[in-house]
Every structure is written in structure tokens, then in C-alpha cells.
Amino acid sequence: MNNIAEVVISNATRQFDRIYHYRIPEKYLGRVNTGMRVIVPFGKSNRLLEGYIVALTGESDFKDLKEISEIVDESPVFNENLIKLAHWMKYRYISTYSDVFKCLLPPGTGLISSKVVRLVNCDTSLKGNYIKILQKLKDNEGVMEYDQLKEETNIKSITKYLNKLAELNCISISEEFGTKVKRKQIKAAYLTKPSEEVQEDIESNRLRNIKHVRILEMLLENEYISVSDLTKFAGVSKGVLETLNKYGYIDFKNMEVTRDPYESQNFQKTSPLEPTEEQKHIIDSVKEMLDKKIFKEILLHGVTGSGKTEVYLQLIEHCINIGKQAIVLVPEISLTPQMVERFKGRFGEYVAILHSRLSLGERYDQWRLIKDGKIKVVIGARSAVFAPFDNLGMIIIDEEHENSYKSEITPKYHAVEVARERCRIENAVLMYGSATPSVENYYRAKNGEISMFTMMKRANNLMLPEVRVVDMRRELEAGNRSIFSRILHSEMEENIKNNEQTIIFLNRRGHSSFVLCRNCGYVLKCPKCDVSMTYHSFDERLICHYCGYTVKNVSTCPKCKSSHIKGFGTGTQKIENEIKKHFEGSSVIRMDMDTTSYKNSHEEILRSFREDNINILVGTQMIAKGHDFPNVTLVGVLAADSMLNTGDYRATERTFQLLTQVAGRAGRGVIPGRVIIQAYNVENYSIECACAQDYKSFFEKEILVRKKLVYPPFTNIGSIVLSGINDRTVYNRAVSVKKFIDECFSGVCDGDAILGPFRSVISKIKNKYRWRINIKCKEIGKLIDILTKVSDHFYAHHGKNDISISVDINPVNML
Ligand code: ADP
Ligand code: ZN
Ligand code: ZN
């Protein structure tokens, strides 16, 4: 009989990240199942901790098993397939069970809050840690996130000091729940005793009621939690909270949260459009694959506006008809009201939209609706790949080439890879859609590894825009030192006169980090790697961050000897100012990281641009995606080649993708569009091919370069970053890690190599120095194996050290 549960502990550190056996007590037999959360006694002190049951078994090699204390869920929160996926993720991303399982639960369940501390009154008579905290806040304009404050002041049990400071009315502490635009009041609970005291009461078993313990543990980790979230996540009634309040452990206060923005919206019901020839062929073929219920990968290569979304909608409909469910992943930035409307309009109540503006409780509600089978289609960003469907038919990944599918926090999963594994496990169909597929996937399609369909005509018969390239070296020769070429300048004037709108696009990713000759277009590159050298103002050096090659910064161009060579980059703010200067009386709006710090404001900016008929929108890559602006007839791209010089092997690919996308912004309405691309390095094939909207030529050229220089898809790049306060110690540790790799990296394929250690592009983050080692390795299994060994070795030997390690495979950036 299966009376033993295999349990992993949530929140376990790497050291305790394994499967533990617990006996299922008599009273729970038959009720306990795989995929449930339980409370178990752990360690010598038998501290009660949350755990996840990953399997049941009848026997164990261990004697004297402890018993499960309590069941959290009445039904499993993870199905068997998701548990399989979790095992794979732990392996593939060299991660812990704890981190991986957290991905599978709605974000609220981990109860991570963003607590904000504000300076109210800087009482200078205070001493020690108190004044240290106040000073730190003052240095940061009076407001900081709790976590940041804790890290930067390095004060142990900082909560104690903060509570005291709050009592003295020197600071205020609050919980930020999403946006500042729309808010509604909720009731939240918080601890009224010092956390040490609460902790002590829990450890010493003074508190015997598990419900009390769980609530207090949640509140130990989060200063404020809404009463409704608490009752939901802890599975208790409000009465239990009242009791804790009576005992003097907690109190309540009113706070603000965001509502679901779709709650009150009505969506016009739509029906399938009569598919075009191209669409019909794809829909029929994929329907057949869906019916077979086998794992299948399909690349849908279709230009913007070719009707991909309509294909998705009709395939999803088929999925629903055969009793299956579908997930659609889109980049968060494309989750626009128009996008939501199309899916809600077609499938109504069956659709759940998962996005970062939902509150904890709302996300949890969505998640539960999905689990309960009320939802058939989930649309969302990266994490929607974990939607708890029991009968998944298909996953669609729109804009498959997007970076944002890769998580940059642990576990550093790539939603595309996770989707592939999930579909493999669940015998589902995986469809990638893109106008500019990733080189990796297109390569697989060309090799016949995955199926491919193409749609090269625009569904609504709109014309592709007319694209022109301006060589900025010629402008300089002609004495034009402005950031606008003469032609762009006059076209912008024309647009203002005709009351048509203009978008000016600038990529800031390569901001000032590379060195370019304004006279001949020459960019300093690493002789060994063919990536641009990165300028470090820190020590006035140019460094290649693939191999570590370095030279002193130059003052004249090595090619033409001109002194017009310098770090390149122009900010959007500067451009906004230039426009105001050059085009008097025109209206300008700017969209970049600085203007979109509040989550809703990017929608707000775009709405204003569209509805208030602002003349010119200036922005970074954010404006390149998925928005329809019928009145935009001119798009200008400044320093198009700056994207080429980000020092990443994907730089050319990204340039091509972005330019193609930006060009697609023009002429979405009835008036044909014009696109003007300004660059120094106009001969680069990414620019030429983007102008011609010619993906195939681009791919043919790019794949040759990848092959020659041995970059993905011909290899994998493993990245190890070590960071710590002391530069020298971090470097020394990196050297010893390198040595360790040298020892276990045997049986090398052609082109495999270990590079480094060398300084990271961003050599210091938050006062921590960073050193990097790159491993090129053709066989991914071998690379995973090495990185796992490196991690295990590191934690076993230097676990409690002040140096941290981060490993990743094919990272989206190498900063
Ligand atoms: P994509 O997702 O490839 O950018 P969309 O699916 O958004 O393309 O289609 C672009 C436009 O063409 C939309 O306005 C859509 O309603 C329209 N469209 C798509 N398919 C058809 C069709 N079969 N008949 C008529 N219009 C269509
Ligand atoms: Zn190099
Ligand atoms: Zn030059």
C-alpha cells in the first residue's frame, strides 16, 4: 500500500533540496494524493514547513519516518504532468525543486510582496542603525523598496528597527499592490508583535493550532497581506484571524489594490472569418495534427498582418471542440486591449487573461477557474505556460523570437523550451508564430525537424510600406550634424502639415557601450570573436565580453585616422528635446523605461498618442510591438545600426527583427506608409534585408556566420557569473571554478571551449563585482552536466560565503 509520501520542502535552500519520505497517518490515508501541499515537521526541531507531494510509494529505505502533520489542499494543486515538467525544469535549469514548483503556482501563493519604505521625518538625534536607515532613505530621495533597503544597509533583523522607526513616525511602511491609477480599498492584516517574538512562539510550540502558525508564518514574510488573500491561501475562516487579533498577534488596516481591468468590460461577440487560401491550408493541416493527439512542432512564418491571429483563433476553436484546452503566449507588451478583445470576443467566458496587473487574489481566482475546468483558453505572458490545464491540446507562442520569453530570474527558464517539453509530455501541438522567426527555429524547420507554413500576403490587402535607408556618413559630409537626416526632417514636416502621425524609434540597448567612427562607420571589434568591443568608462578600456580580450580606448579611428570616433548613443529624452527645437508647435510624446515605470502608463501613453492625435511619438523598442495606429504614415529609425553593436552574437538577428517590426508600424490604415532608416553601417545585411522585408536572405547570410564562428544553433553557450563585494576574492574564486571545469570537461567536441574568467560587461551591480566564465559546448546534456557539477561543488564548498554564483545556458544577454 502506498502509505509513504515523497515530499519536497518549499522554500528549501539548495542544501535541503531533495525528496524526503513521510509516513501518511492513518486518518489521511486515501485522502492524500500526489500534487498536494502538506505541512510536515522538518529537521531536529521539527519545525513545521510547507511541502509538496511529488509521488506516493509503498516502501522506503529509511526507518522511523516522520508523519505528515496536515494536508493543505483537499485536491492536488499540481497534476502528474506538471510534476514531470517540474522534474525536467530542475534538471534543465540547474535549479531547485523549491524554485521550480513556485513557478507552477500562481504568484500570490509564494506571498512575495513589494513593501515600500518612505521617509517621513529624518530625526537626526537618532543613532546607530536607526540613523543609518534614515540616511539611506534620504540618499534615495526618501523612498526605497524594503528588500533593497535591507540589502544595501546590510542590517540584520532590520524589521525590528523599521517597526520602531515607524512607531516614532520617522518612516512609513506600505504595501504596493500594482498600479496607482485605479485603486480600491481592501482590508489587510499585519503583525503587532515583534517578529522575533512571533518566531519564538512558533519554534517553541507555544502555538498549537496549525492555522494560527500558518497565518503568522505568512505574515512573518510579508508585512501586510489582504484578509481575503490570507483566508484563501491559508484556508481559514475570518474567525481565525479575529482570534489571532484577540490574542494580540495581528491587527488590520485598510489598503488599496487594483481591480481586474476586464471585469466590467463587455466584448462584442465575433465569428470566424472566411479563411484565405493560405490560412485554410494551415488550419486544415494543423486540425489534423490536433486530432491525432501527438506531439508536433509547427513554425508559422507569416508577415505582420498576414492573418496569423485569425489562424490561432480558428485552431483554438477546434481544440475546444475536441474537448481540449489551449495556451497562447504573447509578450507582455503585446497584451494590448485590442489583443484581449479579439480573444474575449471570440471565446468570451472561456478565456482567462493572465497579466502582471492582477492582484494576488485575482490571479489566484483565475488560476482556480483554470484548474476547475471553467477556462478553455489562457492568454498570457511567459508564466502562462504553467497554466494548470488537465487536458492540454495546444500551445501557441506568438512572436516566438522575443527575448521576454526567457526569465532572467531563477529559475532562468525559457518559456519556449518549457512549452516544448510540456507539449512533449502531454502529446500536444506546439505552434510558433512570427514574422521574423528565431534563427534557431527556422534552422530546425529548414532541416525538416519541425513543420513550417508560410503566409507572405497581408490578409487585408494593405501594402507593405516603402522603406528608404539614409547613410548618415553622407549627411555628415554634407555638413548636417543634426540627429535627423535632411530627408527625414522634411518628411516629418510634411506629416505635421498634413496632420498625419510620425513615430521616431531609437534603440538604447547599446547605449554608449560601443565605439563608432562617425567618419567611416568603423566599429571596434574583437579580433577573435567578431563582436563589438564594449567601452568601460571605469578604466577607459575596451573589452570583448566573450573572450576577455582587451585594449586601451582609442582616440583616433584605426581605419581612417579620423578623430570623430567615440562612444555612441543618444537618449530618447535628448531626441524629444531636439524635436521640440526643430519642429516648433508640434506635439511630442515619449515612451521608454523612464516614462513607463507605472504598469499602466504605457497603455496610457499609447492611448493618448492615438486619441489625442499627437504629432510625434518617440520611443525605444517598446513601441515596435503589436500596436495598430491607422494614422501613422511615417516611421523614422535613428541609429539603426546601434543595435548591431550590443556585443552579443544575436545582435544582427535582433537588428533585423526590430527593423522589420518597426517598419510594420507604418501604413496600417488606408494611407500607405513610409519608413526611413538612418544608419552609419548601411551595408550590413540585417539592414538591407529588413528594408526589403526579406527574411529568407537574412537567414541564409546569418546562418553562415553562426556556423563559421560556432554560435547557436551550432553550439550552446553556458554562462557562469560569480559576484561578490571584494573584486579580488571574486576573481580568485572564478579562477578556481575555471580550474574545476577544466578538470571535469573531458571529451570535447569540435569548437567546444572554456572562455574566461573575464570581467562582465556590467562589471559591478549594487557594489558587487562580477566575473564571467563562458563555456561553448555542442552537446547540451554535457553542458548541463558540467554546470550542475559546478553549482553543486560551489554550494558544497563555498555555500555560506559572500560570493554568489549564477549559471545559465544560452542567456538572452551577456551582461
Ligand atoms: P497577424 O496576426 O499576422 O499580424 P491578423 O490576424 O492580426 O494578422 O490579421 C491582420 C488583419 O487582417 C486583421 O484586421 C484581421 O481581422 C484581418 N484578417 C485576417 N484574416 C482575415 C480573413 N480571412 N478575411 C478577412 N480579414 C482577415
Ligand atoms: Zn573576443
Ligand atoms: Zn574611421
Side-chain angles (χ1 to χ4, degrees):
M1 191 173 54
N2 286 343
N3 59 349
I4 294 165
E6 298 188 352
V7 175
V8 298
I9 306 297
S10 75
N11 290 319
T13 55
R14 204 177 166 93
Q15 199 186 349
F16 298 107
D17 189 62
R18 1 187 178 111
I19 291 172
Y20 294 93
H21 287 181
Y22 282 92
R23 192 168 299 287
I24 303 169
E26 203 79 32
K27 59 178 174 180
Y28 291 147
L29 274 177
R31 267 176 69 196
V32 169
N33 226 325
T34 305
M36 284 181 178
R37 287 174 298 177
V38 285
I39 305 286
V40 292
F42 191 79
K44 283 203 194 83
S45 63
N46 280 331
R47 211 179 142 206
L48 294 176
L49 295 176
E50 184 187 44
Y52 311 123
I53 301 180
V54 295
L56 297 182
T57 173
E59 49 197 86
S60 172
D61 294 338
F62 300 97
K63 289 204 180 84
D64 304 324
L65 293 180
K66 292 179 188 176
E67 285 196 341
I68 290 173
S69 310
E70 184 145 345
I71 326 178
V72 176
D73 307 293
E74 285 306 320
S75 65
V77 286
F78 312 117
N79 63 35
E80 306 249 349
N81 285 332
L82 284 174
I83 292 174
K84 275 188 204 159
L85 188 68
H87 281 291
W88 176 83
M89 282 178 71
K90 174 179 155 66
Y91 160 76
R92 171 61 183 76
Y93 300 108
I94 308 149
S95 188
T96 60
Y97 283 118
S98 159
D99 284 336
V100 166
F101 276 107
K102 239 174 249 154
C103 293
L104 300 186
L105 287 171
T109 359
L111 296 166
I112 299 153
S113 62
S114 100
K115 226 188 296 177
V116 175
V117 183
R118 285 195 164 78
L119 186 63
V120 177
N121 165 31
C122 191
D123 183 347
T124 45
S125 67
L126 291 169
K127 299 255 147 41
N129 281 339
Y130 294 110
I131 194 70
K132 192 170 166 189
I133 292 168
L134 294 179
Q135 194 57 46
K136 189 91 220 167
L137 282 167
K138 211 170 161 194
D139 293 345
N140 284 275
E141 288 165 341
V143 50
M144 280 178 93
E145 282 207 352
Y146 169 86
D147 290 336
Q148 191 194 356
L149 185 62
K150 186 172 168 183
E151 192 174 312
E152 293 193 9
T153 52
N154 222 345
I155 299 172
K156 284 215 177 85
S157 53
I158 191 170
T159 317
K160 193 174 74 190
Y161 297 100
L162 290 177
N163 287 344
K164 184 74 190 165
L165 283 169
E167 227 171 81
L168 294 170
N169 204 27
C170 292
I171 59 167
S172 70
I173 307 171
S174 62
E175 182 91 347
E176 305 265 314
F177 275 111
T179 80
K180 306 200 168 186
V181 187
K182 292 182 269 170
R183 292 195 149 189
K184 81 176 178 193
Q185 292 275 327
I186 53 134
K187 191 171 163 192
Y190 63 98
L191 290 179
T192 42
K193 288 193 180 189
S195 53
E196 285 87 333
E197 202 176 317
V198 175
Q199 205 119 36
E200 171 62 26
D201 287 356
I202 294 173
E203 301 277 12
S204 64
N205 286 328
R206 192 164 304 148
L207 285 160
R208 302 230 154 235
N209 186 325
I210 184 65
K211 288 177 176 163
H212 293 170
V213 172
R214 287 205 5 241
I215 287 168
L216 293 177
E217 284 193 329
M218 284 160 114
L219 284 167
L220 278 171
E221 281 183 46
N222 299 265
E223 195 122 13
Y224 298 102
I225 303 176
S226 76
V227 167
S228 63
D229 278 357
L230 262 183
T231 51
K232 248 181 241 158
F233 296 127
V236 301
S237 67
K238 290 221 173 72
V240 178
L241 295 178
E242 298 298 342
T243 311
L244 279 173
N245 176 241
K246 215 166 64 198
Y247 290 163
Y249 279 100
I250 65 171
D251 208 341
F252 307 101
K253 80 183 258 186
N254 282 326
M255 302 183 91
E256 294 170 317
V257 285
T258 328
R259 283 173 297 232
D260 177 358
Y262 307 117
E263 199 173 51
S264 58
Q265 243 166 294
N266 272 324
F267 295 95
Q268 193 90 43
K269 183 103 188 94
T270 65
S271 7
L273 300 169
E274 184 61 40
T276 61
E277 281 293 308
E278 281 184 322
Q279 284 172 327
K280 191 169 176 345
H281 172 60
I282 297 160
I283 293 166
D284 289 347
S285 315
V286 180
K287 270 184 183 171
E288 233 170 81
M289 295 176 193
L290 284 167
D291 290 339
K292 285 197 192 125
K293 298 178 182 154
I294 47 165
F295 170 57
K296 201 85 183 133
E297 287 175 85
I298 301 145
L299 175 61
L300 173 52
H301 178 207
V303 297
T304 318
S306 60
K308 294 189 292 297
T309 311
E310 184 61 33
V311 170
Y312 304 157
L313 290 167
Q314 300 200 17
L315 288 173
I316 292 166
E317 188 175 345
H318 185 72
C319 247
I320 296 173
N321 288 343
I322 60 172
K324 297 239 165 200
Q325 301 127 356
I327 297 171
V328 184
L329 300 184
V330 298
E332 174 98 30
I333 208 150
S334 314
L335 215 51
T336 56
Q338 288 127 299
M339 185 74 147
V340 170
E341 205 174 323
R342 287 183 79 176
F343 284 88
K344 284 271 193 188
R346 196 67 59 91
F347 304 114
E349 300 274 279
Y350 283 158
V351 182
I353 314 279
L354 297 180
H355 59 79
S356 56
R357 291 180 299 277
L358 299 179
S359 72
L360 294 186
E362 283 162 341
R363 279 223 195 182
Y364 179 76
D365 286 350
Q366 295 286 320
W367 183 82
R368 222 173 29 173
L369 285 174
I370 299 167
K371 261 202 79 54
D372 292 349
K374 305 242 163 53
I375 298 292
K376 311 283 182 202
V377 192
V378 165
I379 323 283
R382 188 167 68 212
S383 62
V385 74
F386 302 114
F389 280 136
D390 280 324
N391 198 2
L392 184 69
M394 117 180 266
I395 299 180
I396 293 164
I397 307 179
D398 193 33
E399 312 275 6
E400 157 272 334
H401 60 275
E402 272 287 317
N403 286 338
S404 60
Y405 288 126
K406 176 94 161 72
S407 167
E408 301 229 55
I409 52 166
T410 310
K412 296 184 173 173
Y413 71 89
H414 200 308
V416 172
E417 294 162 355
V418 174
R420 190 178 302 149
E421 188 61 24
R422 185 163 183 192
C423 287
R424 196 195 312 274
I425 292 169
E426 310 207 21
N427 285 318
V429 170
L430 175 58
M431 180 174 234
Y432 312 100
S434 177
T436 52
S438 65
V439 167
E440 282 88 345
N441 257 343
Y442 198 80
Y443 182 69
R444 295 171 71 220
K446 285 209 63 163
N447 286 348
E449 250 178 83
I450 62 180
S451 327
M452 177 158 67
F453 295 93
T454 46
M455 298 205 297
M456 286 306 138
K457 286 204 256 350
R458 280 193 162 181
N460 45 10
N461 284 321
L462 284 178
M463 304 254 290
L464 284 170
E466 168 209 352
V467 184
R468 275 172 292 177
V469 182
V470 180
D471 184 340
M472 291 304 280
R473 291 170 295 188
R474 298 287 97 79
E475 294 292 310
L476 194 66
E477 271 171 23
N480 177 13
R481 288 173 183 277
S482 145
I483 51 176
F484 301 112
S485 60
R486 288 159 295 175
I487 175 94
L488 179 57
H489 192 277
S490 74
E491 294 283 347
M492 283 166 79
E493 270 182 338
E494 187 73 17
N495 253 31
I496 293 168
K497 205 174 75 202
N498 295 339
N499 207 17
E500 291 170 20
Q501 289 178 294
T502 302
I503 294 179
I504 297 295
F505 174 84
L506 174 87
N507 188 297
R508 253 178 79 187
R509 223 179 259 148
H511 178 60
S512 252
S513 63
F514 69 100
V515 172
L516 168 107
C517 173
R518 307 245 290 175
N519 191 47
C520 74
Y522 181 79
V523 171
L524 276 158
K525 284 192 170 178
C526 172
K528 286 189 250 173
C529 305
D530 199 36
V531 295
S532 57
M533 303 275 285
T534 304
Y535 171 64
H536 284 232
S537 58
F538 175 66
D539 48 5
E540 281 286 314
R541 286 194 153 271
L542 302 168
I543 301 174
C544 165
H545 62 88
Y546 275 85
C547 71
Y549 177 84
T550 172
V551 290
K552 200 89 192 130
N553 191 22
V554 297
S555 54
T556 53
C557 172
K559 199 172 152 203
C560 76
K561 305 286 176 255
S562 156
S563 59
H564 285 294
I565 187 159
K566 59 170 189 176
F568 200 79
T570 313
T572 43
Q573 176 138 34
K574 188 170 158 207
I575 293 170
E576 187 185 6
N577 295 339
E578 288 280 307
I579 292 174
K580 283 185 179 146
K581 205 170 77 194
H582 282 280
F583 305 94
E584 236 174 85
S586 66
S587 48
V588 192
I589 195 165
R590 174 165 65 96
M591 179 154 127
D592 54 28
M593 281 306 193
D594 306 332
T595 59
T596 53
S597 46
Y598 301 140
K599 280 179 183 141
N600 256 346
S601 53
H602 89 252
E603 261 166 36
E604 176 52 30
I605 291 170
L606 296 174
R607 189 207 55 77
S608 168
F609 178 59
R610 190 181 307 118
E611 288 169 19
D612 306 339
N613 203 24
I614 306 253
N615 294 125
I616 299 162
L617 170 66
V618 179
T620 54
Q621 57 267 23
M622 286 180 174
I623 56 176
K625 312 277 153 62
H627 308 283
D628 255 325
F629 301 109
N631 196 32
V632 170
T633 55
L634 173 65
V635 171
V637 184
L638 306 185
D641 48 348
S642 75
M643 306 172 221
L644 286 173
N645 301 300
T646 48
D648 197 304
Y649 71 88
R650 292 192 193 83
T652 321
E653 180 179 9
R654 293 212 179 115
T655 301
F656 175 78
Q657 288 163 348
L658 273 160
L659 292 181
T660 309
Q661 234 158 15
V662 174
R665 290 306 103 215
R668 306 278 283 189
V670 283
I671 318 165
R674 297 106 73 209
V675 177
I676 294 170
I677 294 176
Q678 298 188 171
Y680 291 90
N681 186 356
V682 292
E683 293 88 10
N684 188 282
Y685 58 88
S686 61
I687 295 179
E688 280 179 350
C689 297
C691 289
Q693 306 265 313
D694 184 356
Y695 179 85
K696 276 188 194 137
S697 305
F698 166 74
F699 174 82
E700 296 302 340
K701 296 195 167 89
E702 177 66 12
I703 200 77
L704 290 179
V705 175
R706 298 280 182 97
K707 185 158 195 173
K708 183 166 149 248
L709 296 169
V710 197
Y711 285 133
F714 300 98
T715 192
N716 296 286
I717 296 181
S719 127
I720 300 169
V721 175
L722 293 146
S723 58
I725 300 289
N726 185 303
D727 196 23
R728 193 76 217 164
T729 336
V730 180
Y731 171 75
N732 288 340
R733 183 64 38 78
V735 170
S736 80
V737 169
K738 166 86 183 298
K739 231 170 94 195
F740 177 81
I741 301 168
D742 279 331
E743 280 159 20
C744 53
F745 195 54
S746 57
V748 185
C749 299
D750 222 20
D752 284 6
I754 308 165
L755 308 168
F758 45 86
R759 226 179 250 294
S760 282
V761 178
I762 302 177
S763 57
K764 196 164 88 169
I765 293 180
K766 289 187 182 165
N767 286 324
K768 286 192 174 145
Y769 290 90
R770 308 167 79 237
W771 287 86
R772 169 184 285 283
I773 298 167
N774 286 344
I775 307 173
K776 272 185 172 182
C777 182
K778 198 164 184 173
E779 277 176 48
I780 192 155
K782 193 177 271 176
L783 187 54
I784 293 169
D785 186 46
I786 289 168
L787 291 177
T788 306
K789 279 186 185 143
V790 168
S791 295
D792 287 345
H793 181 82
F794 185 87
Y795 285 106
H797 292 83
H798 327 286
K800 293 195 178 73
N801 210 293
D802 56 349
I803 294 177
S804 49
I805 190 168
S806 158
V807 300
D808 200 355
I809 296 175
N810 300 332
V812 288
N813 67 54
M814 307 280 269
L815 303 178

